[in-house]
């Protein structure tokens, strides 16, 4: 599936139609990739987020990209890992599906994802990567209109985890 590319780097620098933010339910900013995206986008992003009324876990909402290279930010809220018996897998899968659906609806053709829930929310990385790639591949098989999906891993270790899944596919 050459529409999916694993890259190691900083998602705020991706020149794509939309980057996906691993946000919290309030959508009012935080640390990790959320903090990096808000810092790079500038204060206008938070001003727009304040108007969105938050976001449920597993769902996604879209804003402008402001000072980012990306024209849009799709904010999604991943599940907090709590052992795996609280629908975490299902909610994480929903983050990818909801974000891709929103990109399609807005006719955005290139999108970059971080490793949603793999930081502060402590989702096991290998398990999360498998869910991410499986959901992205399924979506790209069922819908047309997305040209490229980047999985942007902040560090090489995470990039290796993603790549190991792609080899297995
Ligand atoms: N570019 C790409 N990936 C990044 C970047 C970046 N600039 N910064 C961090 N990451 C990676 C982390 O290394 C991790 O693999 O993003 C992944 C997700 O980690 P978090 O940002 O901690 O997100 P998450 O685990 O989903 O937790 C979300 O953290 O920052 C708060 O407001 C946020 O409450 C929310 C929670």
């Amino acid at each position: 599936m050459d529409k999916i590319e694993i890259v190691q780097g900083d998602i705020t620098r991706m020149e794509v139609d939309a980057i996906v933010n691993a946000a919290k339910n309030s959508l009012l900013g935080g640390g990790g990739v959320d903090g990096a995206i808000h810092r790079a986008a500038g204060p206008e992003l938070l001003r727009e987020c304040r108007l969105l009324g938050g976001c449920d876990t597993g769902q996604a909402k879209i804003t402008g990209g402001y000072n980012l290279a990306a024209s849009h930010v799709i904010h999604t809220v991943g599940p907090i890992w709590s052992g795996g018996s609280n629908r975490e897998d299902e909610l994480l899968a929903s983050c990818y599906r909801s974000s891709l659906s929103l990109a399609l609806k807005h006719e955005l053709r290139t999108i970059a994802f971080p490793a949603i829930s793999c930081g502060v929310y402590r989702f096991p990385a290998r398990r999360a990567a498998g869910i991410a790639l499986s959901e992205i591949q399924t979506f790209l098989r069922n819908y047309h209109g997305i040209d490229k999906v980047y999985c942007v891993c902040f560090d090489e270790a995470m990039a290796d985890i993603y790549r190991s899944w792609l080899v297995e596919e």
Side-chain angles (χ1 to χ4, degrees), residues 100-124:
L100 287 163
S101 301
L102 208 46
L104 208 52
K105 180 179 165 195
H106 289 264
E107 296 180 339
L108 306 178
R109 306 188 75 88
T110 57
I111 182 170
F113 284 98
I116 300 166
S117 284
C118 292
V120 167
Y121 284 1
R122 307 193 57 70
F123 206 112

Side-chain angles (χ1 to χ4, degrees), residues 9-12 22-25 29-37 78-79 114-123 152-155 158:
D10 177 351
I11 199 168
T12 66
K24 57 164 58 74
N25 293 110
V33 72
D34 194 3
I37 288 173
I116 300 166
S117 284
C118 292
V120 167
Y121 284 1
R122 307 193 57 70
F123 206 112
V152 184
C153 302
F154 206 34
D155 53 51
M158 184 65 82

Side-chain angles (χ1 to χ4, degrees), residues 3 15 19 23 31-32 37-38 51-52 61 64 93 95 115 117 129 135:
K3 284 189 175 182
E15 297 185 13
I19 61 171
I37 288 173
H38 276 273
L51 307 176
L52 296 177
K61 291 193 177 177
C95 285
S117 284
E135 281 307 313

